[in-house]
Amino acid sequence: FQGKRILIVDSSSVYVNNEKPDLVLLSQSPKLNLVRLIKTLHPKQIIADNSNSFYLVNQWEVTCKQEKIPFHATAEKGFYRL
């Protein structure tokens, strides 16, 4: 989208390892190891939409801070402009 590569990971938690997305959108509370995803794909930012559980969003936010990746939760900060 507009020159950015966006990877959407939903509840199936299936994604291609050889993609290098700019943004990763987490939707429908996927069960995944976010640290592994970050180290494998090297995204520039992680976005969690409002369909995720509050507990998982909090865990992902802490993980992103540890990995120094910008994190945006739409439930907390509102919409994300591409």
Side-chain angles (χ1 to χ4, degrees):
F1 181 76
Q2 296 181 353
K4 293 183 180 180
R5 297 177 64 95
I6 302 171
L7 174 65
I8 300 173
V9 181
D10 61 7
S11 60
S12 68
S13 302
V14 176
Y15 60 91
V16 179
N17 285 342
N18 61 1
E19 294 293 322
K20 299 295 180 197
D22 297 312
L23 304 171
V24 173
L25 174 64
L26 302 173
S27 182
Q28 302 171 1
S29 299
K31 308 280 188 284
L32 55 84
N33 184 331
L34 189 59
V35 175
R36 186 180 312 145
L37 182 140
I38 291 170
K39 293 200 184 291
T40 304
L41 302 179
H42 306 290
K44 295 177 183 166
Q45 185 166 18
I46 306 287
I47 303 165
D49 70 12
N50 208 16
S51 68
N52 297 300
S53 72
F54 183 72
Y55 175 74
L56 279 175
V57 172
N58 287 339
Q59 283 185 324
W60 294 336
E61 186 171 15
V62 169
T63 301
C64 286
K65 283 181 183 177
Q66 291 171 347
E67 297 294 323
K68 296 177 177 64
I69 300 277
F71 181 77
H72 183 93
T74 59
E76 181 183 322
K77 299 176 183 175
F79 75 97
Y80 181 82
R81 184 180 302 256
L82 294 173

